Amino acid sequence: MEDNAPLVPEGAQVIEVRTAAIPHVVPTLRTIVADIAMRQDFDLDAVEDLRMAVDEACSLLLPASSDGRLTCVFSWSGPRIEVSVSVLSDTPDHEDDSGLSWQLLTALATSAQRTVTPEDGRYLSRVDLVRESQAADS
């Protein structure tokens, strides 16, 4: 496992998917997050928001993948789902966080963060999303 893998809250359940960094795998990742959200009793709007957020995160990172791989880690506990999508890239550059894709992503998630960290002469580019169920607010 990578040294800088996302932190997972104690007691959370985790699914890690390592796959080719190609658009064809994104529907599978969307389905995984939707299934997790439904099993955690998220409402239908939140389920769809999570599906779209994972889609946007992948869309931001797929073009940057230098080794052709993408890692997606889903963790959940109660009314909180965390998703971390990452790729290795040759440069630390990434799309402007004020762009439409990033604005959409931050609107769909409770919180979103993008980080780029050096790793073995390349850069790990990662998007971390958190979505909390409305039931958590009640």
Side-chain angles (χ1 to χ4, degrees):
M1 184 170 262
E2 299 167 347
D3 291 348
N4 50 8
L7 295 175
V8 176
E10 189 173 327
Q13 296 185 50
V14 178
I15 295 174
E16 181 174 345
V17 178
R18 293 179 186 221
T19 186
I22 55 175
H24 295 71
V25 301
V26 175
T28 301
L29 299 175
R30 289 169 43 110
T31 300
I32 292 169
V33 78
D35 183 68
I36 293 167
M38 286 187 283
R39 290 173 188 268
Q40 295 305 110
D41 292 326
F42 278 58
D43 64 45
L44 293 177
D45 288 336
V47 171
E48 190 56 31
D49 286 352
L50 270 165
R51 289 172 58 89
M52 290 189 298
V54 166
D55 191 79
E56 288 300 320
C58 291
S59 295
L60 284 169
L61 294 176
L62 285 176
S65 178
S66 62
D67 65 355
R69 293 186 294 185
L70 176 131
T71 301
C72 191
V73 178
F74 305 92
S75 64
W76 66 97
S77 179
R80 180 181 176 97
I81 296 174
E82 298 181 22
V83 181
S84 177
V85 182
S86 61
V87 298
L88 281 175
S89 62
D90 290 331
T91 67
D93 301 329
H94 57 76
E95 281 190 30
D96 183 10
D97 287 347
S98 64
L100 180 60
S101 288
W102 185 255
Q103 289 178 10
L104 179 59
L105 188 101
T106 57
L108 295 168
T110 303
S111 68
Q113 180 179 9
R114 182 149 187 191
T115 57
V116 178
T117 54
E119 183 174 296
D120 298 329
R122 291 192 280 182
Y123 299 89
L124 182 72
S125 185
R126 184 165 72 203
V127 173
D128 295 306
L129 308 170
V130 174
R131 178 66 192 233
E132 294 178 351
S133 169
Q134 296 297 339
D137 297 337
S138 307

